[in-house]
Structures are given as C-alpha cells and as structure tokens.
Amino acid sequence: MHIVIIGNGISGITAARFLRKRSEHQITVISAETDHFFSRTALMYIYMGHMRYQDTKPYEDHFWEKNRITLKKAYVKSVDFNNKSLQLDNGTLAYDKLILAVGSSPNKFGWPGQDLKGVGGLYSYQDLERMEHYSKDLKHAVIVGGGLIGIEMAEMFHSRHIPVTFLVREASYWDAVLPPEESQMINRHILENGIDLRLSTELKEILPNENGEARAAVTNKGETVDCQFVGLTAGVHPNIGFLKDTALEVQKGIIVNEYLETNIKDVYAIGDCAQASKPAPGRRPIEAIWYTGRMMGETVAHNITNNKVAYKPETWFNSAKFFDIEYQVYGNMRATLIEGHETIYWEHPDGKKSIRVNYNKATGAIEGFNLMGVRYRHEVCKKWVETQTPIEEVLANLGLANFDPEFFEQYEEFVVEAYNKQTGKQLVLTQKRALNAVSKFLSKLVKTN
Amino acid sequence: MSQVYESLSLANHSREIDAVQKVGLALGGIGVLLLFVAWGGIGLSSPALMLSTSIGLMTVGTLVYAWRSYMTVPEGIKNNGVWFDSLSNKGVLGWLFAIIITGFYVLLYFYPSLLGQGSDGAANTGIVALFDPLSRLLNGKAASQWFVYGTLYTVAILLLGFKFILKYRHNKYQLWRTISVMFFQLAFAFLIPEFLESMNSDQPYFQKDIKNMWPLNFYFYQDWNVNGMLGGGSLGLFMLFWGLAMTFIVSPILTFYYGKRWYCSWVCGCGGLAETAGDPYRHLSDKSVKAWKLERWLIHSILLLVTVVTIAIIYAYLKGDPGHKIWMTPMIFVIIVVVLSALVAAILLKNKTEVITSLGNKAFTGLLVALGGIAVLSVVAILTSGYDVFFIPTHQLKHWYGFLVGSVFSGVIGVGFYPLLGSRVWCRFGCPMAALLGLQQKFFSRFRITTNGGQCISCGNCSTYCEMGIDVRHYAQRGQNIVRASCVGCGICAAVCPRGVLRLENGSVDMDKRTTDLKAIHIGEEGVKLM
C-alpha cells in the first residue's frame, strides 16, 4: 500500500514516522517548502542567529532513507480523488491512502496594500527568507496582530536592533487568551524591550513606494508609520485553496471525524488544516498548534494501520515565550474566568513571574494552571486536573508541580498564602519541589471520577 | 512559495557595539598587548608594575565590556547573533584566535624557552620573567612556564566567569556553578598549591591540588609524585591518601548522588575554562551520530589506556622498591587489581537494570571484556615477573601517553581548538576522568535530565547549545529523560529551552528506570494519552 502525505511539518512527519514504526507500507511525504522536516517553531531562532537552518532539523538527513520514507519536493496543484492521483507541478503521483497535512497561512483581511512586496507573515521557510531579504537596510518595521507570532516577530527585529511598531487591535496583548494580569505583564515586558506597542490600534492600509514595496502603514487612528516591512500576524487559516470545488468537505478547514477521516474514503486530514466536526467539550474545531499536530499525526498512523483510535487530546496544554518570559498553561484556563470557577493569582514583585491556579467553586476540583516565568511539571498538573483533585490537596502539595531549575526560589508558599487570604483559611504548604515525591505521586494509581 | 530570495546570510548582521563597550575592549586589548610587549623584552625593568598594569587593564576592560553588554538589557538568554559573529562562527576572527591559542600551547608545552623560560639555572626572560615577582610572592621561587600558564588560566576563568555570571544572572544554577569553578580554580588549583609549595620548598615536588585526581591527573602514581608524597611528611601522606580516596570513594559517592557534574562543571579546572572562556563556542560541538560514535570509541580507549599505563607504572614502581618503603608488593597489587575488576564486573552483572540494558549488548560485553582483560594481563605480568607489564616498556608508555594525551590532546587541541570544535573537545573525546565518571553516571547514579511531558517543540536550542554534542532534542521530543555518560550537567540546555522542558535533577525512587521513554503524548490502548 502506498501512503502519501502532503506536508512535511510536525503533523505529516509524525504520521510518517509512526506509520513506519507500525507497518511496512510505502510512504511518500510531499513538500514544496523544504527538502527536509524542520521545526517551524524555531524559524525565529534562525533569524536571531541562535541557530542555523540545519540545527532546526530534528532528524539527520540520513534518517529518512534509513527508515524508507521517501521525501518528494513538489507542489501539489490538485487532487483527483476519484482516481486517487495527485497533480504535481512536476508530474503526477498515485496513492492508496492520502493524508492531508497541508498546514495554514497567515491571515489577510483585505487591507489595501496587503499584497505589496515587503509585506508578509511568519509561517513558512519562505516567509523567513522574505523577512531576511527585507531586513537589509530595514529602518523600521510594523507588525500587525497581537498574538504569539506577532511578538516573536517583534523579538526577531529587536535582536537586529531594528525598531518595531507593534499594532494590537485589542486593548491589551493577547487578551483573548491571557487573563488581564498576565496580559498586562506582557504589555510591560514588550515596552521594556523598547517596542513601540500600540494597543487598541488596527491597520487600515499599507502605502506603496514607486517599486511596489511597503513604505508606510496607516492605522485606524489616522497615524502613518514609515516602514519598509509590514508583518501580518493576525492568525492563520488552513491551506485549502487547492481543495475547493472538489468532493472533499471543507469549511474553514478540512472536516474530519474523531478518527481524522474526511468524507472521502482513504483520505485523512491532520494538523493545522483539520477541522473537527465534533470537537471535544471546551476545545476549538481548529487548533493550529504544534502539540495537537503531533498528536493527530500519531493518531492517524494508528488508524491507518488497523488500530482504530479516536483523537482525544485530553487536558489542554500549551507553551510560549514572550521575549524573556516563558509561559505554560495546563487545563481549562480562559482570559475571562469561567462561570463557577475561582482563581488564585500570585505575582512576583518583579512583575515578570506569576502563578495562577483555577478551581471549581462548587466541587473544589482543580481546573488548571497558568504560569509566567515559572515552570511546572506537565504530568503532575495533568494528573491533578484529570483526577479532579481538590484545590486544597493541590495547594498543599504544590511543590510537586515545580519544574524550575535547582537553586531557583520556590514560590508555592505565596500561592497558598494568596489562597488563605482569599478564603480566610490556614492551609499550609507541605510539599516542596522534590523529584522523589513526584515519582511516587505519578506512579500512584488514582481512581478517576 | 514560488518567490525566491537571496541567501539568508545577505543582510547586515553586524552586532552594534557602543562607545563604552569599545572602551572596555580597548582596555582589555591593551592589557593583552602588554604581555606581548613584555615577551619582546620591553618593560621588564619593573616586571611587577608591568604585570599588574596588564592584568589590571584586562580586568577593568572585561568588567566594563561585560557590564555594558549584559546589564543594560533585560535578563534572559543572550544568544543573538551567535551564528553570525565571525569570532563564534568559525569566521576569520575565530580562526585567528584558534591559531593564537594553539601557538601559545605549542610554545608552552614544547618550546618554553621561546617564552623566556630560563634553563640550567639561567634567569628567566620575556614573558616568564614578567611573572617572576608574582611567583616569588606566592611560592618564593622564580616563575616557570607553568606558573605563567596557571596564572593566565586563573585570570581567564575569573574574568570570563564574571562575564558568564552577568550573562546568566537570571539563572541561579548557572550563578552558583560558575562561582564554584571560579573558587576552585583560584583557591585549590592556584593559590593553595603555591602556598603549600612555599611552605615545603625543602621537600621534593609533588602535586598539591587536592581536587586533581587520577585518571585526569595521570601522573599521580608516577614514581616522582609517589616518592614526593612518601617523602613529603604529613602533607605528602595526606595527599597520597586523599588522592586514593578521591578516585575510589569520594568521587563515586558524589557521582552517585549528583552525577558527574559535581566535578566536570562545578570543580574541574578544564571544565572551568570550558564553561567560562569556552562559553562563546559551546554551540560548535558536533551533534551527529557519527561524532557520538567516535566519542565513545576514543574516550573509552583512552580510559583503558590510562588504566593499563597506570597499572604498569605502579607495578614497575613496586618491583623497583625492594627496600619495601611501602607495604604493598607487586603480588598484593595484582591481587587488588584482579579483585577490583571482578567486583565491578559482578556489580554490573548483578544490577542489569533497564539503564544498563539500554546500552545494548555490544557495549556491555565490551565493558566486561575490558575489565577481564585488565585482570588477566595483570596476572600474566606477575607470572612473567618482568618490569614491563603488558610487554611494552613502561617508560615509553608513560612518555607517549604524556605527550599525546596529556599535552597534545588536552592542551593544544582541547583548548586551542575552542573556536573551531567547541569548548569541550577534550572533555568529550579525550578525558579519562570524564569517561570514568561517565560510566558511573550512566550505571550508578541518581542524576538525569527530566523531560517535561509533551511540552517539547523540537526547536533544537538544547542540542545546539550542548557543549558535549549531545542531541538533547532527540530525547526531549519523544518525552524521554536524558541519561548520557557524557553529560557534564552544565544546565545550559535547560536554560536555553524556550518552553521549560528540561530539568537537571537527582532521584532515587526511579533510579533504575531513568531512561524509560514514552512520557510525551502517545497513543495507548485506550487512545491518545500522556504515558
């Protein structure tokens, strides 16, 4: 059987790897982007000089031949689902099963000048090349969109001492996801790094110069910011243009069921481009992040190799880094507190670290963790959330979750203090950071409710 | 995706250096230049003034430059432009620097007279004479090329250690670790041995750095050092027993609890230089599987070689000691060697834990064969009863080991090639101490680098900045803890990780299951889960 995977990002490659682990099928991965799989999340580090392109490749080049995974550099123009054949820019390719892992592209919302030269997002290797190209003699850059990629782009230009104006539509950075305190912490940190942060400001249009390149950005407040590059980082959308007007069911993304099957037999979709027809409670239909892509890749490999498993991503987790502040989240944490939840928030006096613990007021069960500048253990947090551990048990043992390096100060007692202040209780922190206690805790079987 | 842009290296990446930084660089540069001036014989009429001016300028220059570079920006990881900079990316400056240090090492080891070392009682000249006053102050004697080297080595660790501390000031693990290597270099490697030397100047020389142990210190068991210690009064006897205890008791115990990092990145002088002066070059280590293979063959061969040479040396020494200055006879010695080898083999076989089996049978068998070989050859030696164990003239073995491993590998290549091969070439490919501690770390230690569940994004910062060339990401992205013999526990992988995925830690509860993988999100029988 010939399994063809379109897209060599984390989703497609994970699928290929697990297909190989589990079967002897013929596997081909097609990409027009790069010859080999690289870590998309590391693009910023290439630009900043922390790594070279080759350092971002998680597997050495000999890995693919050794594992009999054929890599094909080609651009898929269209899919003939009836005849199970792909029309490539350099030929055709037949498949028995097809995995669509085609990823997404930066959003453009119809701004005048959005297609000028020197305007673009940061998703693909080509996007990085564009940034690099226009960085030469770049005096000023404007970034549009207050999310994870926008702040990465700001950090990239900042690393080259290129002044940045950062237009954020919302009243505070990423406030659709971060609660106000965390969001404001990042606002302060952006300003501390000398970025011209403009909140509640939208892009109206991009003005061209005589060569058809961006020369200035105009905001909805009537300001004109001179610049030679405009970064568009207002989210992404699935790359499904080449699949429109086919039998494949698509909306925003490619519609898949819980087994990641599309409406066409032997065709699957995973990663950024997949849209769940029935997302799990509390989850979005499209989750364009690294971790979900990796999990879907593994799941689809099982489904193709006679081990039918549903894609159930379980407890939400994610991470990011805003300049120098690391962010981790575990569980169901929202920008606005969910009805019936209670929150405990502690922030370090330096304003760059915080711990937030949410719990259910009625049942007392832990709901999740939001961490800024502090590292927590994935497995411990997950186990607490999934076993609906009572908040006071979690707080008394909070040191189990601490994953900061040795010698780092432990802040768990302040979280307990904040809880006591809020509730008038006298809870005491009994467990500090300790690996042995963690090992015992994780190996203990807990009855799930 | 059709638009093609020019090479990624087109843009102007030059790091901007402001006036204050330039002043710092200039002051430090003049300080270094003064050393060359003195080498040419100028300014030696008042060497004390000249040397203090030189070191003073280097100090002020480094402090100014480091302060200005790091304290004016928010704390955090400072790797911007590392791969663009000529000095840190094997550019012209990198090569130039490599040639200069390599040249210095060649002169130091093989042509000390060119540095001004006086021979046959003649007074020092050149750069060695510059250090005479300081040497007299500390140990009462004129300087030697080794005193010059020791002083410059210590100055480098202190000054660049200071720079490192500012660079990683947000990270307490890095802070304490660096203070530790700076302290051990200044006190234990430099000042204390010099003071002890001046207090015992009437006695034969033996090495007095109590943190220096066999097999890194491969001459510990050589006749001159043993004779020195035996004839060195209570200090000599202390050094003998302490030296033995370090190798066979203190070091295994500390490695059991904390991994080899307690030595390699907290105490050791080679490690100290690599972590401070070598920090800007840590990313140059080779991460390929090929390099790892070479590493395993090379470093374990050298450990085997130093063991064999040492056994031969001790055996020959005991043979040549018919007066029985010490109680040990060649027979007792061989019995000890055989028993020790058997003991280690027995422990390995008895504790065939998951960690050991993860090695693969070939490597495991290799270890047992090596242990058996050492024991058998030692017995053959006593039966044939010659001076030269293993049928090779002992003094030649000693000479060639000293030349190839002690000088060329650890010095010329180990430090001279920092800007080309990275800062831990010696520690990774050559150091027998690292090999021995590595075996202990792999088999009998609570240490590991924990991977934080499924949080890895495969970015590669950990692997890139691993000075030992470990592909940390390989483990992190599959959710496996990192248990590698070569890991010196510097903690930089955990520091540069942008997602909080790695943590250096010790634990006894799961010691034998440290390498179990599948902690990332994976498919179980019931669906996708974190296992």
Side-chain angles (χ1 to χ4, degrees):
Chain A
M1 185 163 72
H2 186 199
I3 302 167
V4 174
I5 301 166
I6 306 180
N8 70 348
I10 180 65
S11 312
I13 288 299
T14 306
R17 282 179 46 242
F18 278 90
L19 282 169
R20 177 49 74 236
K21 274 188 185 190
R22 299 180 50 81
S23 76
E24 287 302 312
H25 299 312
Q26 186 191 347
I27 302 168
T28 303
V29 181
I30 304 176
S31 169
E33 186 181 15
T34 51
D35 290 329
H36 299 98
F37 169 50
F38 72 97
S39 178
R40 197 171 296 296
T41 51
L43 281 176
M44 64 181 293
Y45 297 110
I46 301 176
Y47 182 92
M48 289 162 68
H50 294 208
M51 284 190 276
R52 298 161 300 174
Y53 166 66
Q54 61 261 44
D55 302 318
T56 66
K57 291 194 266 190
Y59 303 94
E60 285 187 63
D61 291 350
H62 57 70
F63 175 89
W64 309 105
E65 199 185 329
K66 192 179 151 208
N67 288 287
R68 288 163 291 121
I69 294 170
T70 308
L71 305 178
K72 190 169 178 62
K73 189 150 188 199
Y75 187 80
V76 180
K77 288 182 4 197
S78 61
V79 184
D80 181 349
F81 291 109
N82 291 329
N83 296 310
K84 289 192 166 184
S85 161
L86 303 177
Q87 187 65 48
L88 309 176
D89 55 354
N90 51 9
T92 56
L93 187 70
Y95 66 84
D96 297 307
K97 283 187 191 284
L98 180 67
I99 301 175
L100 298 165
V102 295
S104 44
S105 295
N107 284 333
K108 292 181 175 179
F109 291 111
W111 296 297
Q114 65 183 15
D115 295 317
L116 288 169
K117 286 187 257 178
V119 178
L122 177 63
Y123 186 95
S124 66
Y125 188 75
Q126 286 69 26
D127 289 335
L128 179 72
E129 286 183 310
R130 181 194 301 110
M131 276 184 72
E132 185 65 60
H133 179 81
Y134 284 97
S135 291
K136 201 171 180 256
D137 306 321
L138 181 55
K139 300 276 180 296
H140 198 101
V142 169
I143 297 169
V144 183
L148 295 177
I149 304 300
I151 198 167
E152 278 185 10
M153 212 186 242
E155 188 178 354
M156 289 160 78
F157 286 127
H158 184 60
S159 78
R160 301 253 187 111
H161 308 286
I162 296 165
V164 172
T165 296
F166 190 11
L167 307 184
V168 175
R169 185 184 60 182
E170 291 75 26
S172 182
Y173 174 75
W174 213 31
D175 67 0
V177 175
L178 294 177
E181 290 85 355
E182 285 93 325
S183 173
Q184 277 152 28
M185 176 187 292
I186 303 306
N187 289 344
R188 292 194 302 268
H189 192 50
I190 293 171
L191 293 171
E192 183 191 7
N193 277 284
I195 307 296
D196 172 23
L197 174 66
R198 305 207 186 170
L199 298 170
S200 307
T201 307
E202 291 178 48
L203 175 70
K204 209 173 127 214
E205 69 170 308
I206 305 166
L207 305 177
N209 66 9
E210 62 277 13
N211 300 321
E213 295 165 331
R215 81 170 158 80
V218 182
T219 72
N220 64 342
K221 295 181 173 169
E223 299 149 316
T224 303
V225 184
D226 288 340
C227 61
Q228 299 78 42
F229 186 88
V230 177
L232 301 181
T233 63
V236 292
H237 62 272
N239 284 327
I240 51 169
F242 74 113
L243 297 166
K244 288 217 167 112
D245 306 319
T246 64
L248 192 70
E249 189 190 348
V250 295
Q251 288 174 12
K252 267 188 171 168
I254 303 161
I255 302 297
V256 291
N257 63 15
E258 69 261 49
Y259 300 106
L260 305 172
E261 297 160 333
T262 65
N263 65 316
I264 298 176
K265 193 176 176 301
D266 294 333
V267 179
Y268 303 77
I270 56 175
D272 281 15
C273 68
Q275 178 180 347
S277 55
K278 278 174 268 159
R283 306 286 294 235
R284 287 165 292 143
I286 300 178
E287 291 178 335
I289 69 165
W290 181 266
Y291 309 114
T292 48
R294 196 175 60 197
M295 287 187 267
M296 286 189 223
E298 191 170 341
T299 307
V300 82
H302 280 255
N303 281 325
I304 290 177
T305 52
N306 305 319
N307 176 34
K308 203 153 184 184
V309 284
Y311 171 67
K312 281 195 204 127
E314 301 197 340
T315 302
W316 173 259
F317 70 101
N318 200 3
S319 68
K321 194 175 181 187
F322 310 105
F323 283 90
D324 294 314
I325 299 179
E326 287 173 23
Y327 159 71
Q328 291 182 333
V329 56
Y330 301 105
N332 195 8
M333 304 296 279
R334 301 285 174 82
T336 322
L337 199 62
I338 295 169
E339 186 67 32
H341 286 191
E342 191 54 76
T343 190
I344 310 162
Y345 180 77
W346 165 84
E347 186 173 306
H348 192 281
D350 75 5
K352 291 186 181 186
K353 300 176 196 81
S354 70
I355 300 170
R356 180 185 295 279
V357 185
N358 285 5
Y359 62 100
N360 189 302
K361 243 189 291 191
T363 66
I366 186 83
E367 293 288 348
F369 303 83
N370 236 7
L371 294 315
M372 293 293 206
V374 177
R375 297 172 172 183
Y376 266 23
R377 283 182 201 268
H378 188 172
E379 292 141 284
V380 171
C381 294
K382 181 173 153 65
K383 185 164 178 174
W384 276 335
V385 171
E386 281 170 10
T387 56
Q388 301 181 18
T389 309
I391 179 68
E392 297 199 355
E393 191 184 325
V394 168
L395 289 177
N397 294 294
L398 199 55
L400 289 177
N402 190 302
F403 197 70
D404 270 338
E406 293 154 301
F407 302 105
F408 273 44
E409 212 178 319
Q410 300 178 49
Y411 305 111
E412 282 67 34
E413 57 180 303
F414 301 116
V415 181
V416 174
E417 202 176 89
Y419 175 76
N420 286 341
K421 217 170 169 183
Q422 246 165 273
T423 58
K425 295 195 179 169
Q426 298 290 319
L427 193 67
V428 179
L429 179 75
T430 53
Q431 181 65 60
K432 292 207 147 200
R433 179 170 64 208
L435 175 60
N436 277 346
V438 170
S439 303
K440 284 179 196 156
F441 169 74
L442 289 176
S443 59
K444 223 184 334 184
L445 287 170
V446 180
K447 216 175 78 199
T448 327
N449 297 349
Chain B
M1 285 187 189
S2 52
Q3 193 166 359
V4 176
Y5 296 97
E6 292 143 85
S7 150
L8 277 181
S9 60
L10 254 190
N12 175 21
H13 302 303
S14 67
R15 266 200 262 184
E16 287 161 32
I17 291 180
D18 71 11
V20 179
Q21 285 168 303
K22 280 178 190 158
V23 168
L25 283 178
L27 291 177
I30 294 170
V32 175
L33 204 64
L34 285 184
L35 293 178
F36 283 91
V37 170
W39 191 12
I42 299 162
L44 287 177
S45 51
S46 46
L49 179 69
M50 187 79 168
L51 181 64
S52 13
T53 312
S54 165
I55 293 182
L57 282 173
M58 285 192 249
T59 307
V60 174
T62 311
L63 299 193
V64 168
Y65 178 77
W67 194 273
R68 188 70 182 178
S69 302
Y70 299 123
M71 298 309 284
T72 52
V73 287
E75 49 191 47
I77 295 305
K78 299 280 168 274
N79 287 333
N80 289 345
V82 163
W83 284 104
F84 304 147
D85 198 306
S86 174
L87 189 59
S88 58
N89 183 26
K90 295 185 273 189
V92 176
L93 288 180
W95 276 91
L96 213 61
F97 191 40
I99 290 167
I100 291 171
I101 337 176
T102 307
F104 173 70
Y105 271 92
V106 170
L107 295 180
L108 183 76
Y109 279 109
F110 309 116
Y111 306 100
S113 61
L114 292 180
L115 291 173
Q117 172 73 20
S119 51
D120 303 325
N124 291 326
T125 56
I127 201 167
V128 184
L130 184 68
F131 286 74
D132 278 340
L134 182 63
S135 181
R136 288 217 173 80
L137 181 73
L138 293 176
N139 63 35
K141 294 178 195 162
S144 67
Q145 89 259 36
W146 300 119
F147 181 82
V148 175
Y149 179 48
T151 310
L152 291 177
Y153 198 101
T154 307
V155 167
I157 289 185
L158 292 180
L159 294 184
L160 298 167
F162 174 79
K163 174 173 169 274
F164 185 92
I165 285 174
L166 294 190
K167 181 177 171 187
Y168 284 100
R169 68 187 189 277
H170 60 291
N171 189 313
K172 286 227 172 80
Y173 181 76
Q174 300 305 332
L175 178 76
W176 287 114
R177 189 172 69 74
T178 309
I179 289 173
S180 174
V181 292
M182 288 162 76
F183 167 77
F184 277 102
Q185 177 60 32
L186 179 65
F188 285 71
F190 186 61
L191 292 179
I192 294 174
E194 297 297 343
F195 290 144
L196 291 176
E197 194 56 44
S198 74
M199 287 188 288
N200 300 278
S201 53
D202 50 330
Q203 287 162 353
Y205 177 78
F206 55 94
Q207 85 88 28
K208 298 179 178 67
D209 177 354
I210 64 162
K211 66 172 180 51
N212 203 357
M213 62 178 136
W214 185 88
L216 174 57
N217 174 10
F218 85 102
Y219 54 76
F220 183 79
Y221 296 103
Q222 285 183 15
D223 47 3
W224 60 266
N225 198 44
V226 175
N227 283 334
M229 289 189 291
L230 288 172
S234 47
L235 177 67
L237 283 178
F238 167 77
M239 286 303 296
L240 180 59
F241 285 109
W242 177 250
L244 286 165
M246 275 289 271
T247 306
F248 294 103
I249 301 168
V250 177
S251 152
I253 289 176
L254 286 173
T255 307
F256 174 79
Y257 280 103
Y258 305 110
K260 78 199 246 190
R261 56 187 173 145
W262 79 267
Y263 191 71
C264 296
S265 64
W266 280 75
V267 171
C268 178
C270 305
L273 193 70
E275 296 293 345
T276 52
D279 175 64
Y281 311 106
R282 56 173 61 249
H283 55 285
L284 298 176
S285 59
D286 189 335
K287 276 78 180 183
S288 67
V289 175
K290 250 189 213 158
W292 183 20
K293 218 173 211 171
L294 175 70
E295 163 198 320
R296 281 177 295 178
W297 275 104
L298 209 51
I299 197 168
H300 294 120
S301 304
I302 289 176
L303 175 61
L304 192 63
L305 183 67
V306 76
T307 308
V308 168
V309 174
T310 303
I311 290 171
I313 288 170
I314 298 176
Y315 182 81
Y317 180 84
L318 296 172
K319 267 280 194 195
D321 180 37
H324 296 296
K325 267 187 288 183
I326 45 178
W327 53 271
M328 196 187 280
T329 62
M331 177 68 100
I332 297 175
F333 173 66
V334 168
I335 291 172
I336 290 176
V337 171
V338 173
V339 168
L340 267 181
S341 313
L343 197 69
V344 176
I347 295 172
L348 278 174
L349 282 169
K350 195 163 179 298
N351 296 317
K352 215 174 172 203
T353 58
E354 205 172 313
V355 176
I356 291 177
T357 45
S358 74
L359 249 191
N361 282 329
K362 252 201 276 180
F364 186 66
T365 313
L367 250 169
L368 292 179
V369 169
L371 285 165
I374 289 171
V376 169
L377 281 173
S378 307
V379 174
V380 170
I382 196 101
L383 292 177
T384 55
S385 220
Y387 268 87
D388 300 324
V389 187
F390 311 140
F391 319 107
I392 309 161
T394 302
H395 69 277
Q396 275 199 25
L397 261 180
K398 198 166 77 183
H399 173 78
W400 282 104
Y401 182 88
F403 173 74
L404 286 176
V405 179
S407 308
V408 176
F409 207 152
S410 74
V412 180
I413 299 176
V415 181
F417 287 15
Y418 269 12
L420 304 177
L421 299 174
S423 52
R424 287 275 193 176
V425 176
W426 159 247
C427 312
R428 180 184 180 192
F429 296 99
C431 176
M433 189 77 234
L436 184 60
L437 294 174
L439 292 171
Q440 292 169 11
Q441 169 161 287
K442 180 99 194 172
F443 299 131
F444 312 111
S445 176
R446 301 174 164 200
F447 173 73
R448 86 293 303 273
I449 303 174
T450 302
T451 290
N452 196 8
Q455 286 278 26
C456 179
I457 51 165
S458 302
C459 70
N461 273 297
C462 52
S463 297
T464 302
Y465 288 92
C466 176
E467 54 188 354
M468 296 304 281
I470 299 171
D471 188 2
V472 183
R473 167 175 53 193
H474 166 81
Y475 304 90
Q477 66 191 358
R478 63 211 296 255
Q480 188 177 16
N481 293 342
I482 296 104
V483 180
R484 277 281 289 268
S486 64
C487 174
V488 293
C490 70
I492 294 295
C493 57
V496 298
C497 175
R499 296 293 193 267
V501 174
L502 302 163
R503 179 165 201 269
L504 281 63
E505 50 191 357
N506 321 295
S508 56
V509 170
D510 60 343
M511 198 181 120
D512 296 335
K513 297 191 203 79
R514 284 174 296 157
T515 52
T516 308
D517 72 356
L518 302 176
K519 289 209 306 184
I521 300 292
H522 281 291
I523 308 283
E525 286 309 308
E526 322 82 56
V528 186
K529 67 186 305 187
L530 187 88
M531 286 165 76

